[in-house]
Amino acid sequence: MIEKSSKIFEEKFGEKPDLYYWSSGRVNIIGEHTDYHDGFVMPAAIDLGITWSVKKNGGEVRGYTEKFDEMGQFSISSSERTKFEWMLYLQGVVEVLKKKGKNFGGVDFAIHSTIPIGSGLSSSSSLATGFAYILNDIYNLGFSRKDIAQIACEAEWWYGTNGGIMDQYCIANGEKGSAIMIDCRALTHEIIPIPKNIELVVFETTIRHKQINSPYALRREQAHEAISVMKELYKNKKIEKLRDVTFEMLETAKPQIIKKYGEKEGELIYRRSKHPITENERVLKMKNYLKKDDFEKIGETMAECHKSLRDDYEVSCKELDEAVEIAHKIKGLIGCRMIGGGFGGCTLNLVKKGTAQHFAGEIEEMYRKKTGIKGNPYICNTHHGLEVIK
Ligand code: GLA
C-alpha cells in the first residue's frame, strides 16, 4: 500500500514524500449506540484503512484522494469552510487545534483508502483521527492517543455530525489481534484479545447511511427523555446519562414514563432507552465470553444486540435484517449483527477459522438472490489503529 500511496504522491506533487502513516477503519463487536449515553463499547481497528504519504509544507493543507480523484486544499489561517467536502474532516482537526492555541504548519499528502465510504466502517473517523495523529507527530504537539481521539471527535462535530467517541478512540488505540473495550465516560480502555479461531467477515449491504440529518440524532434525544423521570424517581442517585440506569430501574420507572408521556410516546421512550441500558450489560458479558472462547454465548449476545437495534432502537433496515437472517443459514457462523450508526451500512459476521472464504462467497450470492442487490463481503483482520509506517 505504501508504494501505491507514494506513487500517487509523486505524480501529484512532483517529489517524494517524507513520511508514511496508517489510519484504520473499525468494526464493532458489541456496544452499539451506547457511546453517547456514556456507556461501554467494544470495537476493533481493522486492516481496511488509509495509507498516507506526507510531506511538511508552510501553511497549506494540500491533499489528493484517489477515491474521488480530487486534489483539494485549504489554508490553515482561513476558517472559511473548504469546498472540498472530504477535506472538511481535516479542516475540523485544524480548527480544533487552533482553538487549543497550538502552532503548526501545513502538509502535502496523498491518500490511498481501502475503506468503503459511508458504509459504517468509519471512513470519516479514519480521516480525522489519522490527520490529527499526523499533525501531532510532524509538529510535535505533544498530544496523547486519548487527546487525539478527542480532537478527532470534536473535528467531526465541527464538520456537523453528532456521534460519540467510539470510532476515533478505537482508531487511536486499537491493537492488532484484539478488540478494545472502552468506557466512554471515563475514557479508559481495556485490550480484549479476539480468540485466534475466529475470523471476521464484514458484509456491506451497499445501502448508504448519511450521518448528517439521519434519524440518529432523534434516537439519541428519544432515549434520553427517560432521564427526567429517572431523576425524579431516584433522587438519591446521581443520574446524568442512561449509563447510570439499570434495566431493573427502567422497569420500575416504566409506569411513570407512560404516565408522563402518554401510552404511545411513553412506550416509544421506554424502548429507546431500553436499548443502551441492555446493550451496556451485553458489552460487559461479551468480555467474558471472548475470554472463554464461548462461541454459543458470543452468537447469542450478538443476536440479542441486533434484535434490540432492530426492534427497540429501530436503527436497522430491511437489507441489514436480510443480511443477518441469511448469515444464520451459512456454515461457520458464530454470530452476526448490524454495526455502526445503522439505516444501512454493514453487518459484522464472526465465523469459525477456515470458513471465512466460503462464508463470504455464500453471503454475497444469497443476498443478491434475496434482494437483487450486489453486496460486498470483506474478509478482514484486526490491526493497529494508527501507526507511522517505516
Ligand atoms: C456512529 C457514531 C459512533 C456510534 C455509532 C453507533 O458510528 O459515529 O459514535 O455512536 O454510530 O454505535
Side-chain angles (χ1 to χ4, degrees):
M1 291 301 173
I2 295 192
E3 294 75 31
K4 190 144 192 196
S5 172
S6 175
K7 197 166 152 257
I8 309 171
F9 187 98
E10 274 189 74
E11 268 167 33
K12 299 293 161 190
F13 295 98
E15 54 186 339
K16 279 199 182 311
D18 287 337
L19 294 154
Y20 302 97
Y21 294 89
W22 161 262
S23 59
S24 75
R26 66 102 189 86
V27 293
N28 189 12
I29 308 287
I30 195 103
E32 213 66 85
H33 286 280
T34 50
D35 58 353
Y36 52 85
H37 293 299
D38 273 6
F40 299 100
V41 293
M42 198 189 284
I46 53 172
D47 58 357
L48 295 175
I50 306 176
T51 311
W52 305 69
S53 297
V54 179
K55 199 179 178 81
K56 247 187 189 176
N57 82 27
E60 296 287 310
V61 174
R62 295 191 300 184
Y64 174 78
T65 170
E66 216 193 358
K67 273 253 151 101
F68 307 125
D69 185 21
E70 184 170 82
M71 184 81 179
Q73 82 177 77
F74 64 89
S75 166
I76 291 200
S77 57
S78 159
S79 294
E80 196 184 315
R81 283 172 88 90
T82 166
K83 63 175 195 276
F84 304 102
E85 180 79 13
W86 63 278
M87 282 198 122
L88 283 167
Y89 294 103
L90 315 184
Q91 196 176 18
V93 170
V94 165
E95 288 304 309
V96 174
L97 292 177
K98 274 163 45 178
K99 217 170 82 193
K100 290 187 182 294
K102 291 286 174 184
N103 274 322
F104 55 97
V107 285
D108 289 340
F109 69 86
I111 52 178
H112 172 69
S113 173
T114 50
I115 316 174
I117 290 171
S119 63
L121 297 179
S122 288
S123 51
S124 41
S125 297
S126 183
L127 264 181
T129 316
F131 194 61
Y133 178 66
I134 290 168
L135 289 182
N136 183 55
D137 191 55
I138 295 185
Y139 291 104
N140 298 313
L141 302 181
F143 290 114
S144 66
R145 284 180 178 251
K146 176 171 148 184
D147 298 332
I148 286 167
Q150 284 177 301
I151 291 164
C153 183
E154 250 185 77
E156 290 190 49
W157 293 340
W158 179 88
Y159 169 82
T161 53
N162 55 359
I165 200 165
M166 165 170 76
D167 305 346
Q168 303 84 357
Y169 195 101
C170 168
I171 294 166
N173 295 282
E175 289 181 14
K176 199 172 185 159
S178 300
I180 166 173
M181 187 172 120
I182 310 166
D183 176 335
C184 297
R185 170 172 280 168
L187 285 187
T188 52
H189 68 269
E190 204 180 312
I191 294 293
I192 311 286
I194 295 189
K196 296 231 172 351
N197 46 4
I198 291 183
E199 289 180 332
L200 271 51
V201 183
V202 166
F203 186 70
E204 188 193 8
T205 59
T206 71
I207 305 300
R208 292 274 183 258
H209 74 258
K210 224 173 146 202
Q211 285 219 330
I212 292 185
N213 298 332
S214 80
Y216 182 101
L218 181 64
R219 295 295 182 276
R220 184 182 185 133
E221 283 161 28
Q222 288 169 332
H224 193 74
E225 284 291 335
I227 293 288
S228 61
V229 175
M230 295 294 167
K231 278 188 168 161
E232 267 171 48
L233 210 60
Y234 298 98
K235 289 208 172 72
N236 57 340
K237 287 196 159 66
K238 197 165 170 246
I239 298 172
E240 281 168 12
K241 294 273 183 92
L242 287 169
R243 155 75 177 268
D244 306 310
V245 179
T246 63
F247 184 54
E248 289 67 36
M249 286 162 77
L250 176 69
E251 288 295 288
T252 311
K254 190 174 175 186
Q256 306 294 325
I257 298 175
I258 304 273
K259 199 167 152 214
K260 181 165 177 186
Y261 293 97
E263 190 74 45
K264 203 163 160 235
E265 180 74 4
E267 190 60 49
L268 183 83
I269 290 170
Y270 165 79
R271 280 192 291 119
R272 295 293 190 256
S273 55
K274 184 177 156 214
H275 168 73
I277 293 171
T278 54
E279 183 74 349
N280 278 333
E281 291 173 5
R282 284 188 281 274
V283 177
L284 298 172
K285 282 190 209 155
M286 184 63 99
K287 180 177 146 181
N288 292 328
Y289 300 152
L290 282 171
K291 270 191 188 148
K292 288 190 209 148
D293 269 24
D294 191 337
F295 284 2
E296 208 179 307
K297 290 286 185 199
I298 292 171
E300 261 175 33
T301 313
M302 287 179 83
E304 279 167 20
C305 170
H306 185 80
K307 192 166 174 291
S308 179
L309 289 163
R310 186 191 64 199
D311 302 340
D312 289 338
Y313 221 57
E314 292 185 276
V315 290
S316 187
C317 66
K318 201 170 82 234
E319 293 79 4
L320 283 168
D321 295 342
E322 291 287 6
V324 163
E325 208 183 304
I326 288 166
H328 281 284
K329 296 180 182 150
I330 308 173
K331 220 175 114 219
L333 182 81
I334 297 167
C336 74
R337 64 178 198 84
M338 59 152 280
I339 56 168
F343 312 106
C346 296
T347 61
L348 171 67
N349 304 273
L350 302 186
V351 303
K352 291 182 189 146
K353 196 178 168 80
T355 65
Q357 204 70 46
H358 173 258
F359 186 94
E362 285 290 296
I363 193 164
E364 183 178 356
E365 176 65 14
M366 288 165 78
Y367 178 76
R368 192 187 49 73
K369 273 199 187 135
K370 186 80 203 239
T371 63
I373 305 167
K374 183 182 165 337
N376 302 310
Y378 297 89
I379 299 174
C380 49
N381 298 294
T382 55
H383 201 278
H384 298 307
L386 291 177
E387 62 186 349
V388 180
I389 310 174
K390 297 273 183 312

